[in-house]
Amino acid sequence: GQQLNQSPQSMFIQEGEDVSMNCTSSSIFNTWLWYKQDPGEGPVLLIALYKAGELTSNGRLTAQFGITRKDSFLNISASIPSDVGIYFCAGFMNYGGSQGNLIFGKGTKLSVKP
Amino acid sequence: DTGVSQNPRHKITKRGQNVTFRCDPISEHNRLYWYRQTLGQGPEFLTYFQNEAQLEKSRLLSDRFSAERPKGSFSTLEIQRTEQGDSAMYLCASSWDGQPQETQYFGPGTRLLVL
């Protein structure tokens, strides 16, 4: 089945640092989304990207939809402690007889440097 | 709070028992989705409703799983004869057709542990 490769799997941040993570796929998607999930909670939508090449910001978060439609990245600038959590990329495409559903990566876990 | 709500938040059951989870979507959201998430993985799609019609089911949704949305509002997900492999977080999401279908808002999930 379709898979999204998300990297890095985990990273440690120090407050104030910028953070980058990305997501690649062997398949083309029409939409890329980025979610954040805190322990014991459901994913929260951060940014949705609808067009190849699109660059969108949401506060300190910036995400881009790759031109090939097979990748996306998320940047977090000037990280703060509450940025800790797991970040998921998700791709969406209607295909074949499917109404379309989200395909998620395995997540990037952001932790605070000890 | 007008977000997606799910009940119960946690469920512990013995293998072979039946369990039922409930999801209340955001008001006026006509689309509702169920996902399953195991430890260290992203959510995996199970099934999708538009109003009361179940339009799509994943191969992950075995015969022991059934989902309903009888009045096009809340939904239930039932697992019959639970197995240890069913232990996971079950997530519900909703969206409405005034927005792109992929803009889905998730509930807090129901964490199931099968002993």
Side-chain angles (χ1 to χ4, degrees):
Chain A
Q2 292 177 319
Q3 285 191 332
L4 296 185
N5 298 308
Q6 207 171 332
S7 66
Q9 287 186 327
S10 62
M11 56 194 310
F12 288 89
I13 59 170
Q14 206 148 41
E15 189 171 351
E17 285 182 340
D18 294 346
V19 172
S20 285
M21 59 191 79
N22 67 73
C23 201
T24 60
S25 169
S26 57
S27 302
I28 289 173
F29 287 105
N30 292 338
T31 305
W32 282 93
L33 304 102
W34 286 91
Y35 286 83
K36 177 176 184 263
Q37 187 173 28
D38 291 328
E41 299 294 330
V44 173
L45 181 61
L46 299 173
I47 292 181
L49 302 155
Y50 300 104
K51 193 174 170 184
E54 180 182 352
L55 186 72
T56 297
S57 292
N58 178 7
R60 294 178 297 106
L61 276 59
T62 301
Q64 184 157 28
F65 189 144
I67 291 190
T68 64
R69 294 166 63 196
K70 292 183 177 181
D71 63 322
S72 177
F73 73 76
L74 175 71
N75 283 346
I76 305 172
S77 63
S79 57
I80 59 178
S82 62
D83 290 335
V84 164
I86 302 179
Y87 291 80
F88 289 99
C89 62
F92 180 87
M93 186 183 72
N94 290 46
Y95 58 96
S98 170
Q99 299 284 329
N101 58 77
L102 293 176
I103 309 292
F104 281 83
K106 292 188 177 182
T108 292
K109 184 177 181 181
L110 220 57
S111 306
V112 175
K113 272 183 190 170
Chain B
D1 185 15
T2 57
V4 177
S5 62
Q6 292 187 245
N7 287 288
R9 293 292 309 273
H10 303 274
K11 179 71 178 178
I12 300 175
T13 191
K14 291 182 181 176
R15 190 176 52 187
Q17 298 293 305
N18 300 344
V19 294
T20 301
F21 310 140
R22 176 178 170 129
C23 170
D24 287 88
I26 294 172
S27 298
E28 297 174 357
H29 276 196
N30 60 335
R31 298 174 182 148
L32 188 146
Y33 313 80
W34 285 98
Y35 289 81
R36 183 176 73 182
Q37 185 178 26
T38 52
L39 205 60
Q41 303 293 319
E44 294 174 292
F45 171 76
L46 291 178
T47 190
Y48 155 58
F49 289 85
Q50 177 134 351
N51 300 311
E52 63 275 8
Q54 188 173 17
L55 296 186
E56 189 171 354
K57 291 194 284 187
S58 158
R59 283 174 295 178
L60 290 176
L61 210 68
S62 77
D63 292 344
R64 296 183 298 104
F65 288 68
S66 62
E68 293 183 345
R69 195 183 184 199
K71 298 181 181 176
S73 56
F74 73 91
S75 174
T76 57
L77 177 68
E78 181 183 17
I79 309 174
Q80 296 183 324
R81 304 181 304 282
T82 52
E83 301 173 357
Q84 288 184 325
D86 296 332
S87 297
M89 172 85 95
Y90 290 84
L91 292 161
C92 175
S94 70
S95 68
W96 66 293
D97 53 18
Q99 281 184 311
Q101 184 178 347
E102 55 270 35
T103 309
Q104 299 176 18
Y105 298 88
F106 283 81
T110 295
R111 185 171 292 281
L112 173 67
L113 177 61
V114 182
L115 301 176

